[in-house]
Amino acid sequence: MVGMPENAALSVGDLVELDLTGIAHGGVGVARHEGRVVFVADAIPGERVRARITEARKKSFARAATVEVLDPSEDRRPHIWPEAGLERDPAERPGGAEFGHIALPRQRALKAEVLTDALRRFGGLGTDALRDLGGGVLQVESLPGDAEAEAPGLDGTTHTSAPGLGYRTRVRLHVDPETGEVGPYAARSRRVIRTASLPLAVEEIGWIAPLDEAISEAEAVDLVSPSADDPRMLVSYPGERRRAGADDPVRESVGGREFLVRAGGFWQVHREAPVTLFEAVRDAILELAGSDRFDPGAANLDLYGGAGLLAAAVAEAAGPGLRITTVESDPGATDDAAENLADLVGALTVTARVDRHLAELRAAAAPVRERLRRGTVVLDPPRSGAGGEVCAGLGEVAPANIVYVACDPVALARDTATLRELGYTPVSLRALDLFPHTHHFETLAVFLRD
């Protein structure tokens, strides 16, 4: 510790020298100070850094932010977002690009470490099972085009830049309640930070982003750049009962197929994510069909179905004889799914909470239950995962196969443990880097009923 007596307690503002030994879920490095775990932002495992303590309320761990790198990793790069670099005070750095100082191959290796650790610790999977799932070693796949991405310049033009930039088609900014200034939040804070650029955003968002403006009385600004429609700026105000853009339909193109979605609704943010997930789910269904495990005429389900993207992927693999019900709690998304799946005779869209729909299915008549047991479930839950109640419902409905799209590795691992207890075995897994320069990524896992 710099300037403090040996064995002194850590306090906010203290400077400490730390050796980074690992990575934790959430994109922070792991170090120890006198036996106490310290989670360190803006560092890379293997580095020695000087860091400022930012949180020390818990006896078991503290949080810190790097202010100086004493022994840098060979994978350290100048931060892709100048405002998030070490030159700024940690409290002045915008959040949302916590891996922006790390070379992309190392970013993906760190994400693979987090996934492997989560599946081992929370999913109960041993070395052999993990090796079989990953075909040897779990890897995180990059998406097409990241290396050639362009990012908006400050003058509105574009420039070829570091790999993995210029991919976000949806960006949320916040408004300072006192000044009206618009920008992202600081990391682990609700403090609005002014920035001159949005390097992860596509060019069209750079055109309309109000980074140098003040918007009085607003709460948030959502910037949306649909692949087959004009960009939108959606302004939210306190007390509004409907989210901005809820009634604004826009068009998205996925592999030549057009989808209707709400500008203010959910859609994957990486420009290549919709087609990547579409193809990943389609290929998983084709593989199940190739082993005679997929029955297109069974009671197949698409849970947390959104606008119907993944149900359409199942349909492309299964052909015209498919029967599938897509379940989504957002009425607007269900309406969009009905439109997007209108050409599928066997598709049904239902507005309902997934747990409640599964409860209804558990009480269905015997012939329906049998069709459910022959079916395949695709589910794409929120970041918190499916959870115990939904997994228990799946266990009672007992579909033959589950294709699980996860955006959080720990949630996936916990649900994996639950599904294994319910008689499901994970047989394949793909990790996809849908969020370069952040700690987030997507995972697709296939489970078979024993």
Side-chain angles (χ1 to χ4, degrees), residues 11 49 94 111 142 158 178 181 218 222 262 287 344 361 372 385:
S11 300
V49 304
K111 294 177 184 185
S142 62
T158 61
E178 296 182 0
E181 292 180 344
D222 287 289
R262 305 302 164 104
E287 188 167 344
L344 303 178
L361 294 179
L372 288 165

Side-chain angles (χ1 to χ4, degrees), residues 416-437:
T416 294
T418 304
L419 290 172
R420 292 177 67 216
E421 293 173 356
L422 293 169
Y424 287 87
T425 299
V427 295
S428 69
L429 183 145
R430 291 180 64 188
L432 304 165
D433 194 12
L434 269 59
F435 308 93
H437 300 295

Side-chain angles (χ1 to χ4, degrees), residues 362-446:
R362 294 199 300 270
V368 176
R369 291 290 301 272
E370 176 55 32
R371 290 181 55 243
L372 288 165
R373 284 183 59 82
R374 301 198 319 269
T376 295
V377 170
V378 176
L379 72 155
D380 183 8
R383 194 169 302 282
S384 56
E389 187 173 354
V390 168
C391 286
L394 289 171
E396 292 193 39
V397 171
N401 317 297
I402 297 173
V403 179
Y404 190 136
V405 179
C407 57
D408 184 276
V410 172
L412 170 65
R414 288 175 174 147
D415 287 342
T416 294
T418 304
L419 290 172
R420 292 177 67 216
E421 293 173 356
L422 293 169
Y424 287 87
T425 299
V427 295
S428 69
L429 183 145
R430 291 180 64 188
L432 304 165
D433 194 12
L434 269 59
F435 308 93
H437 300 295
T438 82
H439 73 277
H440 299 292
F441 58 97
E442 206 95 357
T443 308
L444 185 143
V446 177

Side-chain angles (χ1 to χ4, degrees), residues 201-435:
V202 296
E203 178 181 8
E204 292 80 2
I205 283 180
W207 293 345
I208 63 174
L211 298 178
D212 57 353
E213 301 176 20
I215 303 179
S216 61
E217 300 181 358
E219 187 172 61
V221 176
D222 287 289
L223 307 171
V224 180
S225 180
S227 58
D229 218 323
D230 295 329
R232 306 289 205 274
M233 183 172 75
L234 310 174
V235 181
S236 300
Y237 293 90
E240 288 183 328
R241 302 187 66 175
R242 288 180 62 79
R243 66 177 181 269
D247 299 317
D248 183 7
V250 296
R251 294 168 297 143
E252 296 281 359
S253 179
V254 181
R257 178 172 184 144
E258 195 167 281
F259 287 82
L260 182 72
V261 301
R262 305 302 164 104
F266 174 79
W267 190 251
Q268 293 290 339
V269 301
H270 193 296
R271 65 184 185 284
E272 297 292 338
V275 69
T276 298
L277 289 175
F278 183 100
E279 292 176 351
V281 170
R282 178 201 63 196
D283 293 348
I285 298 299
L286 287 172
E287 188 167 344
L288 290 171
S291 57
D292 294 325
R293 289 196 60 95
F294 180 74
D295 180 354
N300 301 295
L301 299 173
D302 172 30
L303 304 181
Y304 309 97
L309 175 70
L310 301 186
V314 177
E316 183 166 300
L322 175 69
R323 300 192 64 168
I324 189 167
T325 299
T326 181
V327 182
E328 168 61 50
S329 62
D330 180 356
T334 307
D335 290 344
D336 293 341
E339 178 73 20
N340 296 329
L341 303 174
D343 59 334
L344 303 178
V345 176
L348 175 67
T349 58
V350 174
T351 301
R353 280 179 37 171
V354 167
D355 55 348
R356 293 175 182 173
H357 187 73
L358 288 173
E360 293 177 2
L361 294 179
R362 294 199 300 270
V368 176
R369 291 290 301 272
E370 176 55 32
R371 290 181 55 243
L372 288 165
R373 284 183 59 82
R374 301 198 319 269
T376 295
V377 170
V378 176
L379 72 155
D380 183 8
R383 194 169 302 282
S384 56
E389 187 173 354
V390 168
C391 286
L394 289 171
E396 292 193 39
V397 171
N401 317 297
I402 297 173
V403 179
Y404 190 136
V405 179
C407 57
D408 184 276
V410 172
L412 170 65
R414 288 175 174 147
D415 287 342
T416 294
T418 304
L419 290 172
R420 292 177 67 216
E421 293 173 356
L422 293 169
Y424 287 87
T425 299
V427 295
S428 69
L429 183 145
R430 291 180 64 188
L432 304 165
D433 194 12
L434 269 59
F435 308 93

Side-chain angles (χ1 to χ4, degrees), residues 16-18 47-50 68-72:
V16 292
E17 293 184 6
L18 300 167
E47 291 186 327
R48 182 172 180 80
V49 304
R50 180 172 289 116
E68 182 182 358
V69 181
L70 304 176
D71 186 8

